[in-house]
Amino acid sequence: MADALELDALWEDFHRAVNMTSAELAAWLKVRDAGEDTEPLPEQAGTPTGQHVLAILQKRRTDLTEDDIRVMHKVVDTVGELADPENEPEPESTPGDTRRRHRLMTLGHDPLRP
């Protein structure tokens, strides 16, 4: 497991990258998976990574597992790659912007949030 300083830094980076609350993320995952024909059970909505982010948001730092730490690194890296802080927030202008925003929101980051 990571040492205490590394874990503290990762915890801060993760919570900076994940700017949605657990309630907002849970609601988004349910909306995202809602369809005309099928809809998963509420606790199964969203991607596995989105569900894992939601679980991490509901944990204390001392309760993190190695798998949690791996997902936290993945989320921080992905949000860093996809988010463009110099150009946010801007109105969505293309379908690509909408897809990018929705992908980020599945990880708990809303790029339109200041």
Side-chain angles (χ1 to χ4, degrees), residues 38-50:
T38 62
E39 186 172 338
L41 296 172
E43 63 275 355
Q44 297 172 349
T47 64
T49 304

Side-chain angles (χ1 to χ4, degrees), residues 19-94:
N19 64 2
M20 296 169 69
T21 66
S22 59
E24 291 168 334
L25 178 56
W28 167 248
L29 294 175
K30 290 173 192 168
V31 167
R32 183 188 167 277
D33 272 7
E36 291 181 18
D37 298 328
T38 62
E39 186 172 338
L41 296 172
E43 63 275 355
Q44 297 172 349
T47 64
T49 304
Q51 282 294 319
H52 204 141
V53 169
L54 186 58
I56 292 168
L57 288 174
Q58 297 168 346
K59 288 185 175 187
R60 296 177 307 177
R61 186 179 338 196
T62 57
D63 296 333
L64 296 174
T65 65
E66 287 292 330
D67 201 35
D68 294 337
I69 292 170
R70 181 188 56 77
V71 168
M72 290 170 72
H73 278 292
K74 177 181 175 181
V75 168
V76 168
D77 291 345
T78 303
V79 168
E81 291 170 11
L82 293 177
D84 185 3
E86 293 179 8
N87 295 319
E88 308 286 3
E90 286 185 10
E92 297 170 19
S93 57
T94 67

Side-chain angles (χ1 to χ4, degrees), residues 76-113:
V76 168
D77 291 345
T78 303
V79 168
E81 291 170 11
L82 293 177
D84 185 3
E86 293 179 8
N87 295 319
E88 308 286 3
E90 286 185 10
E92 297 170 19
S93 57
T94 67
D97 289 343
T98 301
R99 281 191 300 276
R100 181 181 66 87
R101 179 177 183 227
H102 289 177
R103 181 170 178 212
L104 285 165
M105 288 176 67
T106 299
L107 299 175
H109 177 82
D110 186 349
L112 297 183
R113 179 168 282 172

